[in-house]
C-alpha cells in the first residue's frame, strides 16, 4: 500500500505564480509517491533589495501557518531573497526556520531554494557552471557571488533584468533559451537555466539538456530533487533533466 501523500509547505512571494504550478507538475510525475501542497505567502512585488528585506520579515508568520498544517517538508521558495542577504545565508535561514517549527512542536524538514540549488549542483559533481537569471544586474551579481562563495566557478551568466516579479512569471521560454544559447558553455559542468523559482523553465529543461549536451537544472528541479531526498522517495522523474533521474534504473543489454 502506498504511503499517504507527503505534505509539502511552500513559503512564496505573493507575486509568485510559478512555483505552485511547476512543483506539483514535477512531483506529480513521480511513479510511486504522491504529494499535497500548502502555501503561505509573503508580500513582495518588485524584486528590489528593499522589498526583499520587507518580505523576509514576514517569514515567521508563514512558518507558523505551515507548521499548523503539519507539513512534512517546508521549502522557503525565494532564491534571491536569501542569496542577496549574504554568503551562506541559506544555512542560517534553514536552521532558524527549523528551530521555529520545533518550538511549536512541528517536525518538518526545512529546505530553501538557495540551499537546494547548492545541494543539487554538489550532488551531480558540478563545479564550473553557467546560469540564466531574471534579475536586475546588481541582484544577479549577488547571486553569482553567493555561488562563488559556495566554491562554484561561474563561467558565464546572463541577467534578463526584469524588475517586476509578476512579469518574471511571464518571461517567454524562447527568451530564456536565447539567453542560454548566448552563454559560453565550454568546459561547463552544468547549466542553471533558471536561477529563480518564479521564472518558468520546466518545459525547457529536458530540451535544453538534449541541445547543449550537459546537465541542465533550475531552481524548481533542484527543489524537487531535495524534496524527494527529504521524504526518502526515489529520485526518478522523467523528462525533467538528468538531475531528477538520479535513481532511475539503467537498462541492461
Amino acid at each position: 500500500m502506498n504511503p499517504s501523500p507527503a505534505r509539502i509547505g511552500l513559503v512564496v512571494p505573493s507575486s509568485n505564480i510559478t512555483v505552485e504550478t511547476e512543483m506539483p507538475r514535477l512531483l506529480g510525475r513521480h511513479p510511486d509517491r504522491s504529494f499535497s501542497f500548502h502555501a503561505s505567502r509573503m508580500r513582495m512585488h518588485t524584486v528590489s533589495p528593499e522589498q526583499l528585506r520587507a518580505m523576509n520579515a514576514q517569514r515567521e508568520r508563514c512558518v507558523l501557518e505551515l507548521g499548523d498544517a503539519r507539513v512534512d517538508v517546508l521549502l522557503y521558495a525565494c532564491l534571491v531573497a536569501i542569496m542577496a542577504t549574504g554568503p551562506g545565508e541559506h544555512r542560517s535561514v534553514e536552521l532558524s526556520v527549523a528551530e521555529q517549527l520545533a518550538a511549536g512542536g512541528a517536525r518538518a524538514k526545512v529546505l530553501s531554494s538557495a540551499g537546494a540549488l547548492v545541494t543539487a549542483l554538489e550532488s551531480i559533481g558540478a563545479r564550473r557552471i553557467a546560469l540564466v537569471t531574471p534579475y536586475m544586474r546588481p541582484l544577479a551579481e549577488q547571486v553569482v557571488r553567493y555561488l562563488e562563495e559556495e566554491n562554484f566557478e561561474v563561467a558565464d551568466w546572463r541577467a534578463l533584468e526584469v524588475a517586476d516579479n509578476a512579469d518574471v512569471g511571464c518571461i517567454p521560454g524562447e527568451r530564456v533559451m536565447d539567453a542560454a544559447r548566448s552563454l559560453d558553455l565550454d568546459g561547463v559542468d552544468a547549466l542553471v537555466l533558471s536561477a529563480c523559482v518564479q521564472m518558468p523553465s520546466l518545459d525547457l529543461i529536458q530540451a535544453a539538456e538534449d541541445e547543449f549536451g550537459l546537465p541542465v537544472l533550475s531552481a524548481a528541479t533542484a527543489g524537487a530533487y531535495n524534496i524527494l531526498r527529504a521524504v526518502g522517495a526515489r529520485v526518478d522523474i522523467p523528462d525533467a533533466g538528468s538531475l531528477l533521474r538520479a535513481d532511475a534504473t539503467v537498462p541492461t543489454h
Side-chain angles (χ1 to χ4, degrees):
M1 185 169 64
N2 288 335
S4 58
R7 295 180 191 171
I8 311 302
L10 302 170
V11 178
V12 297
S14 59
S15 49
N16 188 300
I17 57 171
T18 304
V19 68
E20 292 157 302
T21 55
E22 288 196 339
M23 200 65 70
R25 281 180 61 202
L26 265 173
L27 294 177
R29 298 178 194 170
H30 198 275
D32 50 40
R33 288 297 300 269
S34 59
F35 303 85
S36 65
F37 297 88
H38 313 274
S40 183
R41 310 182 82 78
M42 307 171 289
R43 191 78 193 276
M44 189 270 279
H45 196 272
T46 301
V47 191
S48 66
E50 296 76 21
Q51 287 210 17
L52 289 172
R53 282 193 295 271
M55 184 191 74
N56 283 334
Q58 304 166 55
R59 184 182 74 213
E60 289 190 6
R61 171 187 55 79
C62 295
V63 171
L64 287 171
E65 291 175 358
L66 293 172
D68 289 346
R70 298 186 180 181
V71 296
D72 298 300
V73 180
L74 185 149
L75 176 67
Y76 191 80
C78 187
L79 180 144
V80 72
I82 288 179
M83 290 195 178
T85 303
E89 180 68 8
H90 69 274
R91 295 179 184 87
S92 60
V93 167
E94 290 169 12
L95 179 60
S96 294
V97 171
E99 289 175 343
Q100 184 184 350
L101 287 168
R107 299 183 179 274
K109 295 181 179 178
V110 177
L111 306 170
S112 68
S113 292
L117 181 59
V118 170
T119 299
L121 287 167
E122 290 174 342
S123 76
I124 61 173
R127 279 297 154 201
R128 193 166 192 265
I129 64 173
L131 62 150
V132 179
T133 82
Y135 312 121
M136 301 302 288
R137 190 173 184 88
L139 281 175
E141 289 171 343
Q142 288 181 282
V143 170
V144 170
R145 285 197 297 272
Y146 193 97
L147 292 169
E148 289 174 340
E149 288 286 341
E150 294 292 327
N151 296 315
F152 298 104
E153 178 190 351
V154 181
D156 202 3
W157 57 278
R158 295 289 180 272
L160 300 184
E161 299 205 86
V162 179
D164 187 303
N165 201 44
D167 291 342
V168 171
C170 302
I171 294 173
E174 196 55 35
R175 185 178 177 194
V176 179
M177 287 299 293
D178 284 346
R181 292 181 183 116
S182 75
L183 292 164
D184 181 358
L185 299 177
D186 186 40
V188 164
D189 300 319
L191 166 63
V192 181
L193 193 60
S194 176
C196 174
V197 289
Q198 168 73 330
M199 186 165 76
S201 65
L202 180 56
D203 294 332
L204 309 175
I205 299 291
Q206 189 62 56
E209 190 160 293
D210 295 341
E211 176 176 337
F212 299 124
L214 77 167
V216 176
L217 60 157
S218 69
T221 61
Y225 173 88
N226 281 266
I227 287 170
L228 292 172
R229 289 287 187 235
V231 301
R234 188 159 50 107
V235 179
D236 185 6
I237 295 178
D239 301 319
S242 54
L243 172 70
L244 290 178
R245 299 307 303 276
D247 298 335
T249 303
V250 178
T252 56
H253 300 284

